[in-house]
Amino acid sequence: MASLAKDGANETADAIVVRFAGDSGDGMQLTGGQFTLSTALAGNDLATFPDFPAEIRAPQGTLFGVSAFQINFGSREINTAGDAPDVLVAMNPAALKVNLPSLKPGGLVIIDTGEFTKRNLDKAKYDISPLEDDTLARYDTLAFDISALTIQAVEPFGLGKKDALRSKNMWTLGLALWMFDRERGPIEDWLKSKFKNRPDIADANIAALNAGHAYGETAELAGPIRQMSMPAVAAEPGLYRTITGAEAISLGLVAGAQLADLPMFFGGYPITPASAILHHLARLKEFGVTTFQAEDEIAAICASIGASYAGQLGVTSSSGPGIALKTEAMGLAIMTELPLVIVNSQRGGPSTGLPTKTEQSDLYQAIYGRNGDAPMPVIAACSPGDAFEVAIEAVRIATTYMTPVMLLTDGYIANAAEPWPVPDPDSFTPFPAKFMQEKNGEQLLPYKRDEKGARPWIKPGTPGLMHRIGGIEKQVDTGHIDYAPDNHQAMTDARMNKVLGVEVPDQEIAEGAAGGKLVVAGWGSTYGPIRRAVGNMRARGLDVSHIHVRHIWPMPKNLGELLKSFDHVLVPEMNTGQFKTVLRDQFLVDAQPLTKTSGQPFQIAELEDAIGKFFDGIDGNEGGQVPANDQQLPSTEQ
């Protein structure tokens, strides 16, 4: 990145990482979201990482009440939200203390001195103000009273001090828009729309936005920085929008239901980070979507199974603890062989765990976590945009093979945003669901299977097609209750073979070629940092490739052969090595784990270091656990 501290004309860079940090009531997520909008409209590629406390309203000014929003944007392809920020905006002492260790040496920190009172310094456990010692010596610092400047900007609107200070995030956003040469118009339009019933509030926020922009424009910030330009990234022509993983899943589920020619029923219960899917789907009623907020997780999935039985596409969603509650009902869906999509937005666990932090620790739960032999297809999205296609694929598998399907995302994918080329609807092949209309023999055989192993889908009330449904073992073909040992063996095999026979594409190599010294095999949201790390190490001449697996169960038929063509297999994942164990079990490859369970995504540098150990000539130091990184997450000592 070009330095932010040079004199003269506007500087340029190919990528910049900015982190907005403040109290959880300072509007940092909103500020970051609107800066993301302006960045997307400027034509830059981007990736974001919202990071906020689990508490609804954490104690004001405390270290664990800090909310942050990081965005990495540039004129080249962007795969991650960035390892460390080039610019940190700290709205109070706690935000500075938590986030300063992650700022790059020589980076720029912008500080609101108006919040550096003795009380706030005490809450942040500062004995001496960092503005008065050498805490900031390694960084370029721009410190001024944003609070006072905001109050001054909105004074004509007659707001009290408390209401006036609510606009300081807009003042800060205005300054950021000037710093990176962004247009204010879209933000002004958004404010007018958001506060259309309170035009005085809209005008006050617009005034604060313009004041922050003018501060940079007229003062030239005369100290450490100048305005920086960021050219647009080269991109294929088309319609683009910024999309989060939760939005992409919602749209993909609707698209999948349309391709299957089915109405959709979504049964959910609020839980972080999955709640956003319920919120988005509730706005899509015109596409034949019914949303139901149930009284608990069990009711949500059972209602969705009932909808599938009635001939709709049943969908439910949750995170780890809620998925655990849904487990018995998943077995019911497997036994009744009804299509159902279960979205698991993973978070740190077990139990309540880390509600707002990310992890990939539900893989065992997804593949194995049910009583009895209860096989279920499992697929995983690797990015916010990828979640759209993965959701369609989940619907295809569920309706084609009459089975529940689990779709894995995580908190990072669900909350993060990236530019997304809106696909042409005609580019997707329809897979219309078929319902039985008449008997398939002299008597109805509701469990007679087709060539894919799927039983027929029969809407209740169809004349002449009355049949039993439930969780007790079914007789082959007839569906009658049958406890016979040979029948249970036959039905267990049939359910297993149906899932193992799900047609999935052959595994492709994301970067590199088959055969070689090392392959980094990942799944889910590790895609971005792995792709960047492997690309960087290949540029240095190292023989390393990247495979990223979407179909977790069943796996692509060529995956084992592909993995065995490499001397070494490294599996980075945000758990204690679950996918590594699955690969070892299925393909007998000596996969080495690289694990991280700190609640934060992998950094590119962490993966580069792990890759380098396969080429340093030192035996036995490969893989292992990535140490907890206090630059990403505040420690108890802090």
Side-chain angles (χ1 to χ4, degrees):
M1 193 205 80
S3 170
L4 292 172
K6 293 183 178 178
D7 295 326
N10 290 6
E11 300 296 335
T12 60
D14 66 352
I16 296 173
V17 181
V18 179
R19 183 181 297 179
F20 299 93
D23 194 72
S24 55
D26 283 339
M28 293 297 95
Q29 303 306 316
L30 187 148
T31 302
Q34 292 306 305
F35 187 78
T36 299
L37 171 64
S38 67
T39 299
L41 291 172
N44 297 134
D45 199 7
L46 63 92
T48 69
F49 180 42
D51 192 11
F52 42 86
E55 292 76 13
I56 294 173
R57 185 64 175 88
Q60 190 171 6
T62 61
L63 295 172
F64 286 93
V66 172
S67 174
F69 186 102
Q70 183 163 304
I71 176 171
N72 182 12
F73 60 100
S75 55
R76 58 167 172 79
E77 181 184 6
I78 300 294
N79 301 117
T80 76
D83 280 7
D86 302 291
V87 179
L88 170 64
V89 180
M91 302 299 284
N92 64 10
L96 181 67
K97 188 162 193 177
V98 168
N99 291 282
L100 189 63
S102 65
L103 185 63
K104 290 179 182 177
L108 173 69
V109 56
I110 299 172
I111 297 172
D112 179 9
T113 59
E115 291 293 322
F116 278 65
T117 62
K118 185 177 187 310
R119 185 179 181 210
N120 285 344
L121 289 167
D122 289 342
K123 287 182 180 180
K125 301 185 177 359
Y126 275 121
D127 296 325
I128 301 173
S129 171
L131 304 178
E132 299 171 0
D133 60 15
D134 62 354
T135 300
L136 303 173
R138 300 171 60 207
Y139 312 100
D140 290 321
T141 304
L142 182 65
F144 51 95
D145 195 338
I146 295 176
S147 298
L149 290 167
T150 302
I151 292 172
Q152 179 183 343
V154 303
E155 185 177 5
F157 302 94
L159 301 179
K161 182 178 179 181
K162 184 177 180 180
D163 288 335
L165 287 175
R166 287 176 177 162
S167 298
K168 71 177 184 177
N169 63 330
M170 287 295 108
W171 196 101
T172 307
L173 178 59
L175 177 61
L177 294 177
W178 176 83
M179 285 172 56
F180 299 105
D181 199 17
R182 299 283 181 258
E183 296 292 332
R184 285 166 287 164
I187 313 300
E188 294 175 358
D189 293 341
W190 174 81
L191 286 167
K192 290 175 183 176
S193 174
K194 181 175 177 63
F195 297 107
K196 61 184 177 183
N197 296 324
R198 292 293 306 275
D200 55 330
I201 299 296
D203 291 343
N205 278 283
I206 291 171
L209 180 79
N210 291 333
H213 192 277
Y215 188 90
E217 199 172 44
T218 58
E220 287 289 324
L221 295 182
I225 65 170
R226 293 289 185 269
Q227 191 177 47
M228 176 161 287
S229 297
M230 178 72 67
V233 67
E236 293 291 327
L239 175 64
Y240 287 78
R241 61 159 289 182
T242 301
I243 199 166
T244 67
E247 290 172 327
I249 286 172
S250 303
L251 293 174
L253 289 170
V254 172
Q258 297 283 313
L259 291 168
D261 196 22
L262 292 171
M264 188 176 93
F265 176 93
F266 179 90
Y269 180 78
I271 183 171
T272 302
S275 300
I277 297 173
L278 172 60
H279 301 161
H280 292 307
L281 287 173
R283 305 187 189 106
L284 301 174
K285 296 177 182 177
E286 67 269 28
F287 296 104
V289 178
T290 301
T291 52
F292 169 55
Q293 181 175 318
E295 64 269 28
D296 56 47
E297 297 281 9
I298 298 171
I301 186 171
C302 288
S304 300
I305 292 171
S308 290
Y309 175 56
Q312 298 195 18
L313 173 65
V315 181
T316 190
S317 172
S318 191
S319 190
I323 295 295
L325 289 167
K326 295 178 189 288
T327 299
E328 183 182 1
M330 290 183 208
L332 176 63
I334 290 168
M335 180 64 84
T336 55
E337 300 190 49
L338 288 168
L340 178 71
V341 176
I342 305 148
V343 182
N344 182 353
S345 301
Q346 301 166 94
R347 70 191 204 186
S351 187
T352 306
L354 305 174
T356 61
K357 308 304 177 186
T358 194
E359 212 163 82
Q360 294 179 298
S361 50
D362 294 350
L363 188 71
Y364 285 163
Q365 183 186 38
I367 299 175
Y368 307 119
R370 292 164 293 281
N371 66 293
D373 284 299
M376 179 191 300
V378 180
I379 59 176
C382 72
S383 70
D386 184 57
F388 176 81
E389 291 190 7
V390 170
I392 293 175
E393 177 70 350
V395 175
R396 181 192 72 82
I397 294 173
T399 56
T400 302
Y401 294 89
M402 293 294 286
T403 178
V405 177
M406 187 171 290
L407 192 170
L408 294 176
T409 70
D410 57 42
Y412 178 52
I413 289 177
N415 294 321
E418 66 181 13
W420 178 60
V422 179
D424 180 359
D426 293 335
S427 65
F428 294 95
T429 303
F431 41 86
K434 296 181 176 66
F435 294 95
M436 179 176 280
Q437 302 296 333
E438 57 186 24
K439 292 180 182 179
N440 52 354
E442 291 186 9
Q443 61 172 330
L444 173 63
L445 300 174
Y447 279 82
K448 183 177 181 180
R449 303 176 185 279
D450 63 15
E451 68 282 359
K452 297 184 183 68
R455 78 171 186 90
W457 198 353
I458 306 172
K459 287 185 182 180
T462 304
L465 301 186
M466 184 182 297
H467 62 286
R468 287 184 177 87
I469 195 90
I472 298 178
E473 183 61 281
K474 305 291 179 291
Q475 188 178 77
V476 172
D477 290 347
T478 68
H480 299 327
I481 293 172
D482 193 331
Y483 299 110
D486 58 345
N487 178 78
H488 180 56
Q489 180 72 63
M491 290 297 280
T492 299
D493 291 344
R495 289 187 290 264
M496 177 185 69
N497 291 330
K498 177 178 71 171
V499 171
L500 292 178
V502 169
E503 185 179 342
V504 302
D506 278 349
Q507 181 64 48
E508 296 181 351
I509 299 176
E511 187 154 3
K517 183 170 177 86
L518 173 66
V519 64
V520 183
W523 68 280
S525 65
T526 57
Y527 174 82
I530 293 175
R531 179 178 174 85
R532 180 59 62 186
V534 168
N536 291 347
M537 300 305 269
R538 286 179 63 83
R540 298 175 198 174
L542 299 188
D543 183 10
V544 56
S545 298
H546 174 201
I547 288 173
H548 217 78
V549 182
R550 171 186 282 184
H551 291 85
I552 304 296
W553 195 266
M555 295 189 190
K557 291 182 173 58
N558 69 327
L559 180 58
E561 180 182 352
L562 202 54
L563 293 173
K564 290 176 181 178
S565 71
F566 294 91
D567 297 338
H568 301 282
V569 178
L570 178 66
V571 185
E573 49 188 330
M574 293 182 289
N575 56 47
T576 55
Q578 296 180 21
F579 191 51
K580 167 269 302 178
T581 303
V582 175
L583 292 178
R584 286 180 176 182
D585 168 61
Q586 293 297 304
F587 305 119
L588 300 179
V589 293
D590 185 22
Q592 295 297 312
L594 183 71
T595 66
K596 183 173 184 178
T597 54
S598 65
Q600 299 286 304
F602 277 100
Q603 292 187 329
I604 299 168
E606 293 168 343
L607 293 170
E608 289 178 348
D609 181 63
I611 292 169
K613 289 180 179 179
F614 286 86
F615 298 88
D616 61 6
I618 302 173
D619 291 333
N621 69 338
E622 300 89 355
Q625 185 180 80
V626 175
N629 187 345
D630 285 344
Q631 293 182 358
Q632 288 189 301
L633 197 67
S635 68
T636 307
E637 288 74 17
Q638 284 183 311

PDB file of all heavy atoms in Angstrom, residues 32-53:
ATOM      1  N   GLY A  32     -19.549   1.873   9.022  1.00  0.00           N
ATOM      2  CA  GLY A  32     -18.852   0.963   8.131  1.00  0.00           C
ATOM      3  C   GLY A  32     -19.718   0.528   6.968  1.00  0.00           C
ATOM      4  O   GLY A  32     -19.244   0.426   5.824  1.00  0.00           O
ATOM      5  N   GLY A  33     -20.992   0.267   7.245  1.00  0.00           N
ATOM      6  CA  GLY A  33     -21.898  -0.153   6.183  1.00  0.00           C
ATOM      7  C   GLY A  33     -22.067   0.906   5.109  1.00  0.00           C
ATOM      8  O   GLY A  33     -22.088   0.608   3.907  1.00  0.00           O
ATOM      9  N   GLN A  34     -22.183   2.153   5.530  1.00  0.00           N
ATOM     10  CA  GLN A  34     -22.351   3.230   4.549  1.00  0.00           C
ATOM     11  C   GLN A  34     -21.045   3.532   3.806  1.00  0.00           C
ATOM     12  O   GLN A  34     -21.059   3.865   2.626  1.00  0.00           O
ATOM     13  CB  GLN A  34     -22.876   4.490   5.239  1.00  0.00           C
ATOM     14  CG  GLN A  34     -24.303   4.336   5.750  1.00  0.00           C
ATOM     15  CD  GLN A  34     -25.251   3.888   4.645  1.00  0.00           C
ATOM     16  OE1 GLN A  34     -25.347   4.515   3.595  1.00  0.00           O
ATOM     17  NE2 GLN A  34     -25.947   2.780   4.879  1.00  0.00           N
ATOM     18  N   PHE A  35     -19.909   3.397   4.488  1.00  0.00           N
ATOM     19  CA  PHE A  35     -18.635   3.550   3.788  1.00  0.00           C
ATOM     20  C   PHE A  35     -18.464   2.429   2.762  1.00  0.00           C
ATOM     21  O   PHE A  35     -17.929   2.636   1.674  1.00  0.00           O
ATOM     22  CB  PHE A  35     -17.479   3.547   4.788  1.00  0.00           C
ATOM     23  CG  PHE A  35     -16.147   3.864   4.166  1.00  0.00           C
ATOM     24  CD1 PHE A  35     -15.804   5.171   3.855  1.00  0.00           C
ATOM     25  CD2 PHE A  35     -15.242   2.851   3.865  1.00  0.00           C
ATOM     26  CE1 PHE A  35     -14.585   5.466   3.260  1.00  0.00           C
ATOM     27  CE2 PHE A  35     -14.027   3.133   3.274  1.00  0.00           C
ATOM     28  CZ  PHE A  35     -13.694   4.444   2.971  1.00  0.00           C
ATOM     29  N   THR A  36     -18.940   1.235   3.117  1.00  0.00           N
ATOM     30  CA  THR A  36     -18.916   0.111   2.175  1.00  0.00           C
ATOM     31  C   THR A  36     -19.741   0.428   0.943  1.00  0.00           C
ATOM     32  O   THR A  36     -19.331   0.157  -0.199  1.00  0.00           O
ATOM     33  CB  THR A  36     -19.449  -1.160   2.859  1.00  0.00           C
ATOM     34  OG1 THR A  36     -18.606  -1.485   3.973  1.00  0.00           O
ATOM     35  CG2 THR A  36     -19.482  -2.331   1.892  1.00  0.00           C
ATOM     36  N   LEU A  37     -20.929   1.001   1.151  1.00  0.00           N
ATOM     37  CA  LEU A  37     -21.781   1.388   0.023  1.00  0.00           C
ATOM     38  C   LEU A  37     -21.063   2.361  -0.898  1.00  0.00           C
ATOM     39  O   LEU A  37     -21.039   2.179  -2.126  1.00  0.00           O
ATOM     40  CB  LEU A  37     -23.080   2.001   0.544  1.00  0.00           C
ATOM     41  CG  LEU A  37     -23.990   2.650  -0.502  1.00  0.00           C
ATOM     42  CD1 LEU A  37     -24.512   1.614  -1.487  1.00  0.00           C
ATOM     43  CD2 LEU A  37     -25.160   3.371   0.168  1.00  0.00           C
ATOM     44  N   SER A  38     -20.449   3.391  -0.332  1.00  0.00           N
ATOM     45  CA  SER A  38     -19.773   4.390  -1.159  1.00  0.00           C
ATOM     46  C   SER A  38     -18.570   3.779  -1.883  1.00  0.00           C
ATOM     47  O   SER A  38     -18.264   4.141  -3.021  1.00  0.00           O
ATOM     48  CB  SER A  38     -19.321   5.573  -0.295  1.00  0.00           C
ATOM     49  OG  SER A  38     -18.302   5.187   0.600  1.00  0.00           O
ATOM     50  N   THR A  39     -17.913   2.836  -1.236  1.00  0.00           N
ATOM     51  CA  THR A  39     -16.759   2.184  -1.848  1.00  0.00           C
ATOM     52  C   THR A  39     -17.179   1.300  -3.019  1.00  0.00           C
ATOM     53  O   THR A  39     -16.526   1.269  -4.066  1.00  0.00           O
ATOM     54  CB  THR A  39     -16.009   1.357  -0.786  1.00  0.00           C
ATOM     55  OG1 THR A  39     -15.541   2.237   0.243  1.00  0.00           O
ATOM     56  CG2 THR A  39     -14.840   0.609  -1.391  1.00  0.00           C
ATOM     57  N   ALA A  40     -18.286   0.579  -2.835  1.00  0.00           N
ATOM     58  CA  ALA A  40     -18.797  -0.264  -3.928  1.00  0.00           C
ATOM     59  C   ALA A  40     -19.212   0.603  -5.114  1.00  0.00           C
ATOM     60  O   ALA A  40     -18.934   0.260  -6.275  1.00  0.00           O
ATOM     61  CB  ALA A  40     -19.971  -1.092  -3.430  1.00  0.00           C
ATOM     62  N   LEU A  41     -19.861   1.725  -4.837  1.00  0.00           N
ATOM     63  CA  LEU A  41     -20.286   2.612  -5.918  1.00  0.00           C
ATOM     64  C   LEU A  41     -19.097   3.244  -6.642  1.00  0.00           C
ATOM     65  O   LEU A  41     -19.204   3.619  -7.807  1.00  0.00           O
ATOM     66  CB  LEU A  41     -21.202   3.707  -5.358  1.00  0.00           C
ATOM     67  CG  LEU A  41     -22.578   3.234  -4.881  1.00  0.00           C
ATOM     68  CD1 LEU A  41     -23.325   4.358  -4.183  1.00  0.00           C
ATOM     69  CD2 LEU A  41     -23.403   2.698  -6.048  1.00  0.00           C
ATOM     70  N   ALA A  42     -17.966   3.333  -5.943  1.00  0.00           N
ATOM     71  CA  ALA A  42     -16.755   3.871  -6.574  1.00  0.00           C
ATOM     72  C   ALA A  42     -16.071   2.840  -7.462  1.00  0.00           C
ATOM     73  O   ALA A  42     -15.088   3.165  -8.135  1.00  0.00           O
ATOM     74  CB  ALA A  42     -15.791   4.359  -5.501  1.00  0.00           C
ATOM     75  N   GLY A  43     -16.553   1.594  -7.440  1.00  0.00           N
ATOM     76  CA  GLY A  43     -16.022   0.577  -8.328  1.00  0.00           C
ATOM     77  C   GLY A  43     -14.865  -0.220  -7.768  1.00  0.00           C
ATOM     78  O   GLY A  43     -14.208  -0.959  -8.507  1.00  0.00           O
ATOM     79  N   ASN A  44     -14.618  -0.106  -6.456  1.00  0.00           N
ATOM     80  CA  ASN A  44     -13.537  -0.883  -5.846  1.00  0.00           C
ATOM     81  C   ASN A  44     -14.029  -2.264  -5.440  1.00  0.00           C
ATOM     82  O   ASN A  44     -15.197  -2.446  -5.096  1.00  0.00           O
ATOM     83  CB  ASN A  44     -13.000  -0.171  -4.600  1.00  0.00           C
ATOM     84  CG  ASN A  44     -12.376   1.172  -4.909  1.00  0.00           C
ATOM     85  OD1 ASN A  44     -12.636   2.160  -4.245  1.00  0.00           O
ATOM     86  ND2 ASN A  44     -11.550   1.225  -5.952  1.00  0.00           N
ATOM     87  N   ASP A  45     -13.118  -3.245  -5.488  1.00  0.00           N
ATOM     88  CA  ASP A  45     -13.418  -4.527  -4.871  1.00  0.00           C
ATOM     89  C   ASP A  45     -13.248  -4.363  -3.368  1.00  0.00           C
ATOM     90  O   ASP A  45     -12.486  -3.493  -2.903  1.00  0.00           O
ATOM     91  CB  ASP A  45     -12.481  -5.607  -5.396  1.00  0.00           C
ATOM     92  CG  ASP A  45     -13.024  -7.013  -5.150  1.00  0.00           C
ATOM     93  OD1 ASP A  45     -14.182  -7.136  -4.694  1.00  0.00           O
ATOM     94  OD2 ASP A  45     -12.305  -7.993  -5.421  1.00  0.00           O
ATOM     95  N   LEU A  46     -13.948  -5.182  -2.591  1.00  0.00           N
ATOM     96  CA  LEU A  46     -13.905  -4.983  -1.139  1.00  0.00           C
ATOM     97  C   LEU A  46     -14.296  -6.257  -0.415  1.00  0.00           C
ATOM     98  O   LEU A  46     -14.919  -7.159  -0.962  1.00  0.00           O
ATOM     99  CB  LEU A  46     -14.836  -3.836  -0.728  1.00  0.00           C
ATOM    100  CG  LEU A  46     -16.346  -4.013  -0.992  1.00  0.00           C
ATOM    101  CD1 LEU A  46     -17.057  -4.625   0.211  1.00  0.00           C
ATOM    102  CD2 LEU A  46     -16.986  -2.694  -1.367  1.00  0.00           C
ATOM    103  N   ALA A  47     -13.923  -6.301   0.861  1.00  0.00           N
ATOM    104  CA  ALA A  47     -14.398  -7.323   1.789  1.00  0.00           C
ATOM    105  C   ALA A  47     -14.485  -6.669   3.159  1.00  0.00           C
ATOM    106  O   ALA A  47     -13.623  -5.855   3.522  1.00  0.00           O
ATOM    107  CB  ALA A  47     -13.461  -8.524   1.826  1.00  0.00           C
ATOM    108  N   THR A  48     -15.498  -7.019   3.923  1.00  0.00           N
ATOM    109  CA  THR A  48     -15.708  -6.377   5.215  1.00  0.00           C
ATOM    110  C   THR A  48     -15.711  -7.407   6.338  1.00  0.00           C
ATOM    111  O   THR A  48     -15.919  -8.600   6.116  1.00  0.00           O
ATOM    112  CB  THR A  48     -17.042  -5.606   5.257  1.00  0.00           C
ATOM    113  OG1 THR A  48     -18.136  -6.543   5.233  1.00  0.00           O
ATOM    114  CG2 THR A  48     -17.165  -4.653   4.085  1.00  0.00           C
ATOM    115  N   PHE A  49     -15.503  -6.905   7.556  1.00  0.00           N
ATOM    116  CA  PHE A  49     -15.540  -7.759   8.745  1.00  0.00           C
ATOM    117  C   PHE A  49     -16.143  -6.961   9.904  1.00  0.00           C
ATOM    118  O   PHE A  49     -15.443  -6.236  10.596  1.00  0.00           O
ATOM    119  CB  PHE A  49     -14.145  -8.258   9.103  1.00  0.00           C
ATOM    120  CG  PHE A  49     -14.118  -9.142  10.327  1.00  0.00           C
ATOM    121  CD1 PHE A  49     -15.088 -10.102  10.536  1.00  0.00           C
ATOM    122  CD2 PHE A  49     -13.116  -9.004  11.274  1.00  0.00           C
ATOM    123  CE1 PHE A  49     -15.066 -10.917  11.656  1.00  0.00           C
ATOM    124  CE2 PHE A  49     -13.079  -9.806  12.395  1.00  0.00           C
ATOM    125  CZ  PHE A  49     -14.059 -10.770  12.594  1.00  0.00           C
ATOM    126  N   PRO A  50     -17.458  -7.084  10.130  1.00  0.00           N
ATOM    127  CA  PRO A  50     -18.057  -6.477  11.325  1.00  0.00           C
ATOM    128  C   PRO A  50     -17.700  -7.300  12.562  1.00  0.00           C
ATOM    129  O   PRO A  50     -17.773  -8.531  12.537  1.00  0.00           O
ATOM    130  CB  PRO A  50     -19.564  -6.546  11.044  1.00  0.00           C
ATOM    131  CG  PRO A  50     -19.695  -6.921   9.598  1.00  0.00           C
ATOM    132  CD  PRO A  50     -18.464  -7.689   9.255  1.00  0.00           C
ATOM    133  N   ASP A  51     -17.308  -6.638  13.634  1.00  0.00           N
ATOM    134  CA  ASP A  51     -16.905  -7.328  14.867  1.00  0.00           C
ATOM    135  C   ASP A  51     -17.484  -6.559  16.042  1.00  0.00           C
ATOM    136  O   ASP A  51     -17.097  -5.419  16.298  1.00  0.00           O
ATOM    137  CB  ASP A  51     -15.371  -7.377  14.951  1.00  0.00           C
ATOM    138  CG  ASP A  51     -14.885  -8.318  16.034  1.00  0.00           C
ATOM    139  OD1 ASP A  51     -15.703  -9.085  16.566  1.00  0.00           O
ATOM    140  OD2 ASP A  51     -13.677  -8.276  16.355  1.00  0.00           O
ATOM    141  N   PHE A  52     -18.424  -7.182  16.745  1.00  0.00           N
ATOM    142  CA  PHE A  52     -19.142  -6.446  17.789  1.00  0.00           C
ATOM    143  C   PHE A  52     -19.389  -7.354  18.987  1.00  0.00           C
ATOM    144  O   PHE A  52     -19.345  -8.583  18.877  1.00  0.00           O
ATOM    145  CB  PHE A  52     -20.475  -5.905  17.252  1.00  0.00           C
ATOM    146  CG  PHE A  52     -21.238  -6.870  16.385  1.00  0.00           C
ATOM    147  CD1 PHE A  52     -22.095  -7.805  16.937  1.00  0.00           C
ATOM    148  CD2 PHE A  52     -21.081  -6.856  15.004  1.00  0.00           C
ATOM    149  CE1 PHE A  52     -22.788  -8.699  16.140  1.00  0.00           C
ATOM    150  CE2 PHE A  52     -21.770  -7.749  14.196  1.00  0.00           C
ATOM    151  CZ  PHE A  52     -22.627  -8.673  14.770  1.00  0.00           C
ATOM    152  N   PRO A  53     -19.651  -6.771  20.158  1.00  0.00           N
ATOM    153  CA  PRO A  53     -19.847  -7.590  21.364  1.00  0.00           C
ATOM    154  C   PRO A  53     -21.175  -8.325  21.333  1.00  0.00           C
ATOM    155  O   PRO A  53     -22.091  -7.962  20.598  1.00  0.00           O
ATOM    156  CB  PRO A  53     -19.807  -6.560  22.503  1.00  0.00           C
ATOM    157  CG  PRO A  53     -20.185  -5.267  21.866  1.00  0.00           C
ATOM    158  CD  PRO A  53     -19.678  -5.328  20.458  1.00  0.00           C
TER     159      PRO A  53
END
